[in-house]
Amino acid sequence: MMDKLAESDYVPNPHLSKVLDVLFILHADHEMNCSTAAMRHLSSSGVDVYSCIAGATGALYGPLHGGACEAVLRMLDSIGSIDNIPQFIQDVKDRKKKLMGFGHRVYKNYDPRARIVRTLADKVFSILGRDPYIEIAMELERIALNDPYFIERKLYPNVDFYSGLIYKTMGFPTDMFPVLFMIPRCAGWLAHWTELQDDPELKIIRPRQQFLGSMGRTYEPMSARQEKDFALKSYKSAASVRRG
């Protein structure tokens, strides 16, 4: 898919193929994350499986979910060089910038998947050459792992930190990253869909909400309402937001 053109005898690099296999296992669907929850919600409505997968993929495309690897690359690009890392670390501490690829909602220590991805990165770089971002990433990881600020907050590299560098080095454009995460997750998503379809007591999922707003609010005509600095920027595409 990536390199074959018209060669009838084309054989992919077995080491790179193995790397992809391992990455797909590490990125497989696990626990009730955003896209999996979307899959179950849609499945409970009785809609067809293709619509369910499309909806789950839409959730995965979000920059806070499947777009995390892309965010790491953009962060490394913004840092530019190793010399700029100390200032970047200080900006993170001052909440001026975000440290992408660190921390996880479930793993509160070093993400076990990240250790495996780190070894895969070395293997890929030995075959295809070292990406210029890798030096920045390694130094950033070294500083973060020894800084009390990040240690106290249990901010360790997660599976996204080096995955993006691997895919980039293998020639995948960043816009394809969510697709690479969707492929291995489909097996888990389909398992959730099948489970719900086989449930004789299936009911549509409707999470309970607790309203915390004002109960005694009076109606105010539009002409009397004050203007507020708020706008639904629906004219922005997902792609433009990811590149903002």
Side-chain angles (χ1 to χ4, degrees):
M1 181 184 74
M2 295 170 54
D3 300 317
K4 181 178 180 180
L5 296 176
E7 308 93 329
S8 59
D9 58 347
Y10 172 80
V11 178
N13 186 301
H15 300 291
L16 296 181
S17 297
K18 178 64 175 180
V19 167
L20 274 181
D21 285 341
V22 175
L23 284 175
F24 281 179
I25 293 173
L26 296 178
H27 284 118
D29 179 56
H30 68 292
E31 57 105 7
M32 193 56 63
N33 53 58
C34 178
S35 54
T36 302
M39 183 74 182
R40 291 188 66 90
H41 274 68
L42 290 164
S43 299
S44 73
S45 74
V47 72
D48 64 273
V49 67
Y50 303 104
S51 297
C52 294
I53 292 179
T57 303
L60 185 66
Y61 182 63
L64 297 181
H65 193 10
C69 280
E70 181 180 344
V72 170
L73 292 181
R74 298 190 186 285
M75 175 190 70
L76 297 176
D77 182 65
S78 69
I79 294 175
S81 70
I82 294 178
D83 297 335
N84 297 328
I85 291 180
Q87 182 59 52
F88 175 80
I89 292 292
Q90 188 58 49
D91 289 342
V92 171
K93 294 178 180 179
D94 295 338
R95 298 183 180 277
K96 295 179 180 179
K97 294 184 178 179
K98 290 185 177 181
L99 181 62
M100 307 304 296
F102 281 73
H104 195 275
R105 292 286 295 273
V106 176
Y107 303 120
K108 298 305 179 184
N109 293 303
Y110 202 109
D111 187 338
R113 299 172 300 166
R115 297 185 187 277
I116 301 175
V117 173
R118 182 69 182 83
T119 61
L120 294 178
D122 291 334
K123 181 179 293 186
V124 171
F125 297 148
S126 68
I127 298 173
L128 300 175
R130 293 174 70 85
D131 187 279
Y133 288 156
I134 186 60
E135 306 300 337
I136 302 175
M138 291 175 61
E139 180 64 12
L140 186 62
E141 178 187 24
R142 185 191 67 80
I143 293 176
L145 289 178
N146 291 279
D147 192 311
Y149 177 89
F150 300 103
I151 295 174
E152 293 170 3
R153 290 164 175 77
K154 299 185 182 298
L155 294 176
Y156 301 97
N158 58 39
V159 70
D160 298 314
F161 189 64
Y162 284 107
S163 295
L165 287 172
I166 294 176
Y167 285 138
K168 179 175 180 291
T169 303
M170 294 179 74
F172 290 103
T174 53
D175 284 344
M176 195 175 178
F177 286 3
V179 178
L180 295 171
F181 304 140
M182 181 272 290
I183 292 172
R185 288 173 185 263
C186 269
W189 289 351
L190 291 173
H192 282 285
W193 182 83
T194 302
E195 175 191 351
L196 292 178
Q197 304 310 308
D198 291 341
D199 186 354
E201 299 181 1
L202 172 64
K203 294 181 180 180
I204 190 169
I205 296 175
R206 186 171 183 175
R208 186 175 182 180
Q209 291 179 298
Q210 183 179 2
F211 180 69
L212 301 177
S214 173
M215 299 297 293
R217 187 176 300 171
T218 57
Y219 176 77
E220 186 177 0
M222 290 288 292
S223 58
R225 299 178 189 178
Q226 294 181 351
E227 291 188 6
K228 296 183 179 180
D229 186 19
F230 175 78
L232 290 175
K233 298 180 179 179
S234 58
Y235 58 86
K236 280 193 172 184
S237 67
S240 64
V241 171
R242 293 160 72 90
R243 288 160 177 72

